[in-house]
Amino acid sequence: MRQLIRGRTLSFHADPAEVENAFTYHEDGAVITENGKIAAIGDYASLRDPALPEIDHRPHLILPGFIDTHIHFPQVQVIASWGAQLLDWLNTYTFPEESRFAQQGHAPLMAEKFLDLLLSHGTTTVVAFCSVHPQSAEALFQAAEARDMAMVAGKVMMDRNAPEAVLDTPQQGYDDSKRLIETWHGRGRLRYAITPRFAITSTPEQMEMTGQLVREHPDCHIQTHLSENKDEIAFTLSLYPQARDYLDIYETYGLLSDKLLLGHSIHLEPREIARMAETGSRAVFCPTSNLFLGSGLFDEAGLRAAGVVSGIATDVGGGTSYSMLQTLNEGYKILQLRGQKLHPYAAFHWVTRGNALALGMADRIGTLDPGSDADLVVLDSRATPAMALRMDRAETLAEELFILQILGDDRAIAQTYVAGKPMLG
Ligand code: GUN
Ligand code: ZN
């Protein structure tokens, strides 16, 4: 099926924080999609073809679909839980809620709701933590496959410091992960992430078996948490007294590489930053979560200067919005408190090509380059009265993008395409 999608197209081919001409913008542009992929992009006048069906999104903006590099699928009913910082929040709200995913039928129901929410917020790919129960990952992969979404996900492995109902054992965590990898990794657009929740909830024996999984499946991603909260760091170091620092635990078990996504990475030692840069391990900035849980202020410029690649993510349900626009809004404010600036070009690069680069998937998603998968978001910069009023004073594309970045949310998502198919209304 070949179709032409008309609108103002914007796609990045470099990082605007590093080079000047980082994007291509067509004021009256079009994307031609064919069999789920982008076949061509350019000016409407040069691409128009009376033989093609046309969808006209003018005056809206067409960008690559947003990518969220850290989110917890079993926390759709944890988001907006009051009054706690990380460890109390996990024990009070999160672990009890994740234990519900043992119940028959719960995970498939939540998976549909989760994907509906992602698409209504313009997000076409996520890297997701599932619960400890393998059926939570099964349900999410099945639901994503039915919508032909590109998704990276894994069941968490956790064998201590949580209620029995959300624990596995080193052997069970290994066996369940292995089976899920064999079933789902590389099937269609799906990939598996080996997922030790964090060092607090894994014994050294489980970390050892995690390292074995990583050696046996070097093309899987690995996702975990690092240095989110001061009490978390102190507890972690007490559990691994030999470790030089928090990152050293993950290094000891052979987890560091450019496949490793380290959620939060806030309170880092210079040695940890240097090792992340040397090994290519990714930091993942989770602004709404870091503010909501009072965790701390991510040092984007410091990590960049050290050569660390960073993704940006919602971290729902510690995060408070599914919207990557709202994530950029809060990210902007955190960097203000750090004396750093998040320019709208850099921001929109980050949630598209930047996150795709962090995942090593920029050849497939994150741009509008021909040959990429046709995952698109269509943005309405006048979606609300406040946005429309402010837009009347906007003179440049950068200003328009900044209005979306600060005032935008799911109301600004006019359409979301997955593999060339419109997914909303
Ligand atoms: N650290 C370990 N588990 C979690 C989680 O579910 N959310 C957040 N924000 N941090 C974690
Ligand atoms: Zn998280």
Side-chain angles (χ1 to χ4, degrees):
M1 203 308 245
R2 200 172 153 93
Q3 67 190 348
L4 182 146
I5 302 170
R6 185 176 185 181
R8 295 184 293 137
T9 62
L10 176 65
S11 177
F12 293 89
H13 49 77
D15 186 345
E18 274 150 31
V19 307
E20 206 141 292
N21 296 311
F23 62 86
T24 307
Y25 172 67
H26 295 280
E27 178 72 33
D28 186 3
V31 177
I32 293 178
T33 76
E34 184 165 21
N35 300 328
K37 295 204 181 307
I38 295 174
I41 176 162
D43 287 323
Y44 173 74
S46 65
L47 292 180
R48 64 175 304 200
D49 174 352
L52 281 185
E54 272 189 23
I55 306 170
D56 191 351
H57 285 298
R58 287 177 301 163
H60 300 332
L61 279 163
I62 302 172
L63 275 79
F66 298 145
I67 301 167
D68 183 348
T69 47
H70 183 121
I71 187 165
H72 295 262
F73 154 53
Q75 296 178 13
V76 286
Q77 294 183 306
V78 174
I79 187 171
S81 292
W82 184 84
Q85 294 211 346
L86 178 63
L87 298 179
D88 290 335
W89 174 85
L90 286 169
N91 289 317
T92 309
Y93 300 113
T94 306
F95 294 153
E97 184 58 37
E98 292 196 9
S99 73
R100 292 175 188 268
F101 284 72
Q103 291 166 21
Q104 179 75 19
H106 186 65
L109 184 69
M110 289 300 132
E112 297 303 331
K113 297 201 180 292
F114 180 67
L115 297 185
D116 286 348
L117 281 164
L118 297 177
L119 294 170
S120 67
H121 288 80
T123 297
T124 48
T125 289
V126 296
V127 186
F129 288 70
C130 302
S131 77
V132 74
H133 319 95
Q135 63 266 37
S136 71
E138 284 286 348
L140 187 58
F141 280 127
Q142 265 175 26
E145 182 175 60
R147 301 185 197 210
D148 205 11
M149 289 175 72
M151 163 143 348
V152 184
K155 78 147 221 118
V156 291
M157 293 181 282
M158 47 194 295
D159 69 342
R160 66 168 167 186
N161 290 319
E164 194 63 39
V166 289
L167 293 183
D168 55 14
T169 65
Q171 189 65 47
Q172 205 186 333
Y174 173 90
D175 290 344
D176 287 343
S177 301
K178 186 110 192 148
R179 194 159 15 83
L180 287 164
I181 291 168
E182 282 160 4
T183 309
W184 294 105
H185 182 63
R187 176 161 150 180
R189 306 184 69 199
L190 305 174
R191 298 185 185 204
Y192 196 81
I194 296 166
T195 309
R197 183 176 205 122
F198 66 159
I200 287 177
T201 48
S202 286
T203 59
E205 294 70 34
Q206 180 156 75
M207 294 304 297
E208 188 68 50
M209 298 204 75
T210 301
Q212 193 180 325
L213 272 175
V214 169
R215 284 190 298 281
E216 291 167 356
H217 301 282
D219 60 334
C220 284
H221 285 94
I222 309 150
Q223 59 180 345
T224 188
H225 297 86
L226 177 73
S227 296
E228 176 176 4
N229 165 292
K230 298 254 171 82
D231 291 342
E232 171 213 11
I233 297 168
F235 187 27
T236 302
L237 296 178
S238 78
L239 294 169
Y240 287 91
Q242 281 93 342
R244 283 175 288 189
D245 46 49
Y246 196 159
L247 186 75
D248 193 37
I249 301 166
Y250 298 141
E251 181 157 16
T252 298
Y253 296 101
L255 307 191
L256 272 52
S257 79
D258 59 6
K259 292 282 184 189
L260 175 64
L261 303 166
L262 294 161
H264 306 292
S265 298
I266 300 169
H267 310 283
L268 299 175
E269 302 293 334
R271 194 203 79 88
E272 295 179 295
I273 296 170
R275 286 304 288 151
M276 287 171 71
E278 283 161 14
T279 58
S281 304
R282 300 344 193 178
V284 182
F285 180 25
C286 304
T288 70
S289 171
N290 297 161
L291 293 173
F292 180 73
L293 293 174
S295 301
L297 307 177
F298 184 86
D299 183 10
E300 195 272 332
L303 289 171
R304 176 187 293 277
V308 176
V309 174
S310 299
I312 183 165
T314 64
D315 191 36
V316 163
T320 54
S321 173
Y322 291 89
S323 170
M324 292 308 292
L325 300 172
Q326 278 309 295
T327 300
L328 291 172
N329 174 22
E330 300 298 286
Y332 178 85
K333 295 170 192 170
I334 287 182
L335 298 185
Q336 279 281 40
L337 287 168
R338 277 264 180 198
Q340 300 172 17
K341 290 274 183 276
L342 180 53
H343 189 279
Y345 289 155
F348 280 84
H349 173 264
W350 209 355
V351 295
T352 56
R353 179 176 175 271
N355 272 344
L357 283 174
L359 300 181
M361 292 168 70
D363 56 333
R364 304 300 306 274
I365 57 173
T367 74
L368 301 179
D369 292 350
S372 284
D373 297 335
D375 293 348
L376 314 172
V377 62
V378 182
L379 298 175
D380 176 2
S381 309
R382 296 176 177 270
T384 69
M387 291 173 79
L389 200 56
R390 176 64 183 85
M391 274 296 291
D392 287 343
R393 282 283 172 276
E395 290 173 356
T396 64
L397 178 62
E399 270 185 273
E400 177 178 2
L401 291 174
F402 194 58
I403 290 165
L404 282 161
Q405 175 181 343
I406 301 303
L407 300 178
D409 54 28
D410 53 331
R411 293 169 294 180
I413 309 302
Q415 187 53 276
T416 305
Y417 289 85
V418 171
K421 285 203 205 78
M423 304 301 280
L424 305 183

